[in-house]
Amino acid sequence: MKQCYMRFPEGKKKAFTISYDDNITQDERLIHKMEEYNIKGTFNIIPGWFSKEEDGIPEDETYINVTQEKALSIYDNPLVEVANHGFDHQKSTSLPTVQLMDDIVACRKMLEEMYQRLVTGYAYPYGLYNEKMIQILEEAGISFARTVQSTYHFYLPDNWLVLNPTCHHADPKLMDLTEQFLNATAEDDSLMFYVWGHTFEFDRENNWHIVDDLFQKVANHPDIWYATNGEICDYHKKFQKLIFSANGKKVYNPTDSTIWLEVDNIPMSINSGEIKNL
């Protein structure tokens, strides 16, 4: 039987994505950096924490949530995906099921109304989750949910509702991991490098140089797909829907997207609705 592996769009073997939480004012500066380097990412929003227009800004405060008006402006960007971080950032392991469901659905409804798009991503508040929470997310129509547990590797998750990032942006291993990712050959499984954080941390730690150091290193590589969390999740799930013949010589693509494979070291695409000989 032929050796067959998933590849990202255009046959690429690697994907890079970022994720930032809590709708902080410094998100705007990061998004400008994303535009400069053409990096895509996901911002996890807490609508209940939007600042009020009349709120004053305390002197020397680095953690300030954006207003709803500002959120509409800065996150409505082709490089940005908005995702759910709970309407009020509830601790998911200590609340009744009905309260958790309400927090998730209320956030999803408000973000979908604000941005006029489906919002099916999530980041666990405080990084807390359990089996009950995973079930609630499934029932609420969430397709992926990020934890805060670093893997220090580049493999795609077995379960997208337990999406562990590669590392935090301030991790001492960040640049070593960047080198490992860039030099990886991806002989079999396709790879994903996933960095997360909060943008207020750059001001608090005075280390905005991390963004330029990382983006300069990882941007503009022809073998890397720069995508949001949701784009990578959606693509992977569509690959899993491909139907292969019992002898492995044909494949049918029932999805609405073109999917790329590498078959015996040869990249090929399978269009939506196509049955293809391998």
Side-chain angles (χ1 to χ4, degrees), residues 90-101:
Q90 302 276 5
K91 288 188 175 180
S92 60
T93 55
S94 59
L95 294 176
T97 297
V98 66
Q99 192 171 340
L100 284 171
M101 180 64 83

Side-chain angles (χ1 to χ4, degrees), residues 243-271:
I243 300 171
F244 291 85
S245 63
N247 63 8
K249 294 183 178 180
K250 292 181 182 293
V251 61
Y252 167 57
N253 179 4
T255 77
D256 61 355
S257 301
T258 297
I259 303 297
W260 283 78
L261 303 175
E262 184 174 303
V263 182
D264 286 350
N265 300 315
I266 299 173
M268 64 173 61
S269 61
I270 302 95
N271 295 325

Side-chain angles (χ1 to χ4, degrees), residues 6-278:
M6 184 196 79
R7 294 297 176 239
F8 294 122
E10 300 178 3
K12 297 178 180 182
K13 297 182 178 183
K14 304 175 190 177
F16 178 75
T17 192
I18 61 174
S19 176
Y20 280 80
D21 298 355
D22 295 4
N23 36 282
I24 305 296
T25 53
Q26 293 91 335
D27 288 356
E28 185 171 25
R29 181 173 175 180
L30 178 62
I31 291 169
H32 288 325
K33 289 292 184 183
M34 293 165 63
E35 291 172 334
E36 181 179 348
Y37 292 96
N38 201 31
I39 298 294
K40 299 182 79 172
T42 300
F43 287 80
N44 304 298
I45 309 299
I46 312 166
W49 287 11
F50 286 143
S51 295
K52 305 300 182 185
E53 295 290 349
E54 63 272 16
D55 289 347
I57 299 176
E59 189 175 353
D60 299 324
E61 177 61 62
T62 59
Y63 189 98
I64 303 168
N65 301 106
V66 299
T67 64
Q68 182 174 346
E69 182 180 6
K70 191 68 172 178
L72 275 168
S73 170
I74 66 173
Y75 303 119
D76 189 13
N77 185 303
L79 297 177
V80 170
E81 172 187 41
V82 293
N84 189 325
H85 205 22
F87 191 89
D88 283 310
H89 204 260
Q90 302 276 5
K91 288 188 175 180
S92 60
T93 55
S94 59
L95 294 176
T97 297
V98 66
Q99 192 171 340
L100 284 171
M101 180 64 83
D102 183 66
D103 187 60
I104 295 161
V105 172
C107 179
R108 186 178 176 194
K109 284 181 176 179
M110 186 163 181
L111 294 180
E112 290 183 342
E113 178 65 26
M114 285 175 62
Y115 296 100
Q116 293 297 299
R117 66 180 83 163
L118 292 176
V119 176
T120 63
Y122 189 80
Y124 291 105
Y126 309 102
L128 299 173
Y129 69 96
N130 54 24
E131 289 301 320
K132 180 180 78 170
M133 184 61 177
I134 292 172
Q135 182 178 353
I136 291 171
L137 290 176
E138 288 177 336
E139 293 171 352
I142 299 299
S143 59
F144 69 88
R146 197 213 70 221
T147 76
V148 296
Q149 181 178 344
S150 297
T151 64
Y152 301 113
H153 65 58
F154 312 114
Y155 301 120
L156 295 173
D158 294 326
N159 181 355
W160 278 92
L161 293 177
V162 185
L163 172 55
N164 298 318
T166 305
C167 70
H168 184 275
H169 70 241
D171 196 294
K173 299 180 180 179
L174 175 67
M175 296 313 294
D176 286 342
L177 286 164
T178 304
E179 289 289 347
Q180 291 176 32
F181 177 70
L182 295 177
N183 293 328
T185 56
E187 296 293 340
D188 40 37
D189 294 332
S190 293
L191 306 177
M192 176 181 68
F193 186 16
Y194 187 148
V195 177
W196 80 283
H198 304 84
T199 55
F200 79 91
E201 296 166 329
F202 293 121
D203 278 354
R204 185 186 65 188
E205 306 299 331
N206 192 26
N207 60 6
W208 274 98
H209 67 87
I210 288 175
V211 179
D212 282 312
D213 292 346
L214 175 63
F215 286 2
Q216 284 175 4
K217 198 78 173 175
V218 82
N220 300 313
H221 289 268
D223 63 337
I224 296 176
W225 181 34
Y226 303 94
T228 66
N229 296 187
E231 287 173 335
I232 300 171
C233 171
D234 184 58
Y235 187 89
H236 187 218
K237 289 185 174 183
K238 286 178 179 179
F239 163 77
Q240 293 174 322
K241 291 180 180 179
L242 296 180
I243 300 171
F244 291 85
S245 63
N247 63 8
K249 294 183 178 180
K250 292 181 182 293
V251 61
Y252 167 57
N253 179 4
T255 77
D256 61 355
S257 301
T258 297
I259 303 297
W260 283 78
L261 303 175
E262 184 174 303
V263 182
D264 286 350
N265 300 315
I266 299 173
M268 64 173 61
S269 61
I270 302 95
N271 295 325
S272 173
E274 182 180 11
I275 298 175
K276 194 160 192 173
N277 293 323
L278 299 178

